[in-house]
Amino acid sequence: MRIAQVTYSTKPRGGVVHALALSEALARRGHDVTVWTLGRGGDQAFFRRVDPAVSIRVVPFEARDDESVGERIARSIETMGAAFAEARMRERYDVVHAQDCISANAVGPCLRTIHHLDEFTTPELVRCHDDAVRRPLARICVSAAVAADVERGWGLTPTVIPNGVDSARFAAAAGPSGDGDRARWRDRLGEYVLALGGIEPRKGSLDLVEAFALLQRRRPDVRLVFGGGETLFDYRDYRARVDARIAALGLDPVVLGVVDDDELPSLVAAAGALAFVSTKEGFGLAAMEALAAGVPVVARDLPVLHGVFGPTVVYAADPPSIEEALVAALDGAGPAAGPGRDLAASHSWDDVALLHEQFYEAVGGEGDHGAAVDLVHRHGAR
């Protein structure tokens, strides 16, 4: 099949990571895959090396400081839409698969993966979000909980195909071959709790700061480290609130920003614990990668995360319980690492690619998602 995977950024956000890994796995199965994306800020390539078997199309997207988030998203849709429409007839794709709201609104008839659902108040964003759920020919969700939310909210029945995980890469970073890289992080940071995804509302950063202030009374030598944080949205007000609270509490976290992809596994593997306290998630890829590295995870007490992780992580609902769970994790009193490693290893990208291939064949050009649901469930998707 000739497949177009469409995403909105070159940066390491969850949907982008998913699009690249899925595309590489589909290429390994013999498909002709092209990944389309917007090149924001002059980017001409993705945040990591991509298998040369996958073609890349980066659509230039100039930065503007004089537009709102709604205007930027509308311009993103228009820019991608114009470039993709010109190529679509020439390339004659068998499958067009959008990985986010912007892509789904830009490319016309498509299949869509809904990684998680957002809640917006800006009318343009509300409309964009709703159209990107309703208009696709068929939908995939990465967890049963998100699929249930789509069914409740829109009366639609997505197919559930979980995320894949590059578990071997994170397991290797935790093994003997990764000793030197882990030591370099620990020499730089000491003992640390890691949070990935940057400082933003959905990641529960303010609750984590409050929890860490409690933790430092008992474990003053442990540091809080934030990694990642590339986003389309303007979270400056939230970041200012977090910074003000950090100052008031006398904390000194390390904010790494976007971490080089080659360095990410060792950063995760060297952590004493991963704080995964998002208020909304669709699957939890960063937490699954931490489990692959044998790192204990403290997760927000959300139904979707219970459904994905079961008893392999510790759940917490508020700053005091987050603090208690982090202390237990640092002291080695959480769940054994083996089941978490096994869970991460069970999420093979090659298996995920097979399920996508079957989904594409089942829906064809008509978007028969009922057929896809039956077919994928017969092959054991969780």
Side-chain angles (χ1 to χ4, degrees), residues 39-114:
R40 302 177 186 278
D43 283 357
Q44 298 179 356
F46 280 100
F47 67 94
R48 69 164 176 85
R49 295 180 298 277
V50 180
D51 187 329
V54 176
S55 300
I56 303 297
R57 300 286 178 83
V58 180
V59 179
F61 187 82
E62 63 176 299
R64 294 181 186 172
D65 295 329
D66 61 343
E67 62 185 355
S68 67
V69 172
E71 290 169 337
R72 186 179 308 120
I73 288 177
R75 186 165 62 88
S76 298
I77 293 168
E78 180 181 359
T79 302
M80 175 62 81
F84 192 81
E86 190 276 330
R88 185 168 192 158
M89 294 300 294
R90 182 180 68 249
E91 301 291 344
R92 297 188 178 277
Y93 295 116
D94 300 302
V95 174
V96 177
H97 188 166
Q99 293 288 340
D100 50 80
C101 295
I102 289 172
S103 303
N105 278 285
V107 298
C110 66
L111 311 179
R112 161 88 198 280
T113 292
I114 302 170

Side-chain angles (χ1 to χ4, degrees), residues 21 31 46 110 171 189 219 248:
H31 299 290
F46 280 100
C110 66
L189 301 171
R219 301 293 297 271

Side-chain angles (χ1 to χ4, degrees), residues 176-211:
S177 65
D179 287 349
D181 291 331
R182 295 197 310 277
R184 280 189 286 275
W185 282 116
R186 288 171 180 158
D187 288 345
R188 175 180 172 184
L189 301 171
E191 186 177 15
Y192 60 94
V193 169
L194 179 64
L196 294 173
I199 296 174
E200 60 180 68
R202 188 172 71 85
K203 295 300 179 181
S205 307
L206 195 54
D207 276 356
L208 179 56
V209 165
E210 298 287 354

Side-chain angles (χ1 to χ4, degrees), residues 236-311:
R236 284 176 293 186
D237 289 347
Y238 183 81
R239 177 63 183 270
R241 287 174 56 204
V242 172
D243 288 345
R245 193 62 185 142
I246 287 170
L249 293 167
L251 301 179
D252 184 27
V254 178
V255 181
L256 296 173
V258 176
V259 179
D260 185 274
D261 188 62
D262 290 337
E263 297 181 358
L264 181 63
S266 58
L267 173 68
V268 172
L274 181 83
F276 193 73
V277 295
S278 304
T279 59
K280 189 179 290 291
E281 282 291 344
F283 177 81
L285 181 58
M288 199 67 78
E289 291 168 343
L291 292 181
V295 173
V297 173
V298 174
R300 179 80 67 170
D301 192 359
L302 300 176
V304 62
L305 298 183
H306 279 277
V308 172
F309 292 98

Side-chain angles (χ1 to χ4, degrees), residues 104-358:
N105 278 285
V107 298
C110 66
L111 311 179
R112 161 88 198 280
T113 292
I114 302 170
H115 293 273
H116 65 271
L117 294 168
D118 288 302
E119 295 177 3
F120 297 114
T121 56
T122 305
E124 298 93 336
L125 300 184
V126 172
R127 183 169 59 252
C128 173
H129 185 267
D130 182 67
D131 287 348
V133 175
R134 289 189 299 102
R135 288 182 176 177
L137 301 172
R139 298 145 205 87
I140 294 169
C141 290
V142 295
S143 64
V146 176
D149 288 342
V150 172
E151 187 158 13
R152 281 192 297 270
W154 285 267
L156 301 166
T157 306
T159 296
V160 177
I161 303 179
N163 238 318
V165 182
D166 191 355
S167 61
R169 193 164 76 111
F170 287 83
S177 65
D179 287 349
D181 291 331
R182 295 197 310 277
R184 280 189 286 275
W185 282 116
R186 288 171 180 158
D187 288 345
R188 175 180 172 184
L189 301 171
E191 186 177 15
Y192 60 94
V193 169
L194 179 64
L196 294 173
I199 296 174
E200 60 180 68
R202 188 172 71 85
K203 295 300 179 181
S205 307
L206 195 54
D207 276 356
L208 179 56
V209 165
E210 298 287 354
F212 201 78
L214 299 174
L215 182 148
Q216 282 220 310
R217 298 174 189 173
R218 299 162 67 180
R219 301 293 297 271
D221 295 332
V222 177
R223 302 193 76 176
L224 175 60
V225 177
F226 289 100
E230 175 66 26
T231 181
L232 272 178
F233 298 100
D234 184 356
Y235 293 134
R236 284 176 293 186
D237 289 347
Y238 183 81
R239 177 63 183 270
R241 287 174 56 204
V242 172
D243 288 345
R245 193 62 185 142
I246 287 170
L249 293 167
L251 301 179
D252 184 27
V254 178
V255 181
L256 296 173
V258 176
V259 179
D260 185 274
D261 188 62
D262 290 337
E263 297 181 358
L264 181 63
S266 58
L267 173 68
V268 172
L274 181 83
F276 193 73
V277 295
S278 304
T279 59
K280 189 179 290 291
E281 282 291 344
F283 177 81
L285 181 58
M288 199 67 78
E289 291 168 343
L291 292 181
V295 173
V297 173
V298 174
R300 179 80 67 170
D301 192 359
L302 300 176
V304 62
L305 298 183
H306 279 277
V308 172
F309 292 98
T312 63
V313 306
V314 175
Y315 300 96
D318 55 20
S321 60
I322 293 170
E323 184 251 355
E324 289 292 338
L326 285 173
V327 169
L330 292 168
D331 290 342
R341 287 196 183 98
D342 292 343
L343 176 64
S346 74
H347 287 275
S348 159
W349 276 114
D350 289 322
D351 291 344
V352 169
L354 172 60
L355 291 174
H356 276 80
E357 179 185 286
Q358 294 166 345

